[in-house]
Amino acid sequence: MSFVFVALGGALGAVTRYAISLIPVKTQFPILTLVTNILGAILIGFIVGITDKKADVLPNTVLFWKTGVCGGFTTFSTFSLEAYKLFENKAYALGGVYVILSVCCCVFGIFIGKKLATITG
């Protein structure tokens, strides 16, 4: 049954990621992937923050949100490919900014998500 929860959450995360990718943005910088990864980091931080505080959260609920939704939603493999392409195209400064922002903002997103979980708890 756990696989069903992961699959359903993964489908929801993937569809949401795809919907975000359809937002019309005209820039060489992969802003939509960056935003998706930051939102995913905030969401997984929030989930971890909630589940750290509440022992009565069902394991399948955690699997749905953390493994399924966040796993289907975040786009680290896409991030890696886009960063590689920027470097390959000799856009070193843009690639460096993208990598630094992605890592720093997503780690900070975990912090924000956990703080949001504390506020709502």
Side-chain angles (χ1 to χ4, degrees):
M1 195 62 178
S2 299
F3 287 98
V4 173
F5 284 92
V6 171
L8 292 173
L12 177 62
V15 167
T16 305
R17 180 181 70 223
Y18 176 66
I20 289 173
S21 77
L22 296 177
I23 297 170
V25 175
K26 295 186 191 275
T27 178
Q28 181 185 3
F29 190 80
I31 188 71
L32 295 177
T33 302
L34 177 62
V35 167
T36 299
N37 285 334
I38 293 168
L39 291 174
I42 292 169
L43 179 60
I44 203 166
F46 181 78
I47 293 163
V48 169
I50 289 290
T51 57
D52 281 352
K53 294 187 318 185
K54 299 184 179 197
D56 61 340
V57 178
L58 298 175
N60 284 337
T61 302
V62 176
L63 282 174
F64 175 85
W65 285 104
K66 192 166 133 184
T67 306
V69 174
C70 289
F73 180 67
T74 56
T75 54
F76 197 76
S77 58
T78 303
F79 151 74
S80 300
L81 177 61
E82 289 173 340
Y84 177 83
K85 285 180 179 178
L86 288 170
F87 292 127
E88 185 177 51
N89 293 328
K90 299 184 181 6
Y92 302 115
L94 200 56
V97 167
Y98 182 50
V99 168
I100 290 167
L101 280 175
S102 293
V103 172
C104 293
C105 290
C106 290
V107 169
F108 187 64
I110 298 290
F111 171 77
I112 290 172
K114 288 194 77 166
K115 288 296 179 190
L116 288 172
T118 302
I119 293 168
T120 61

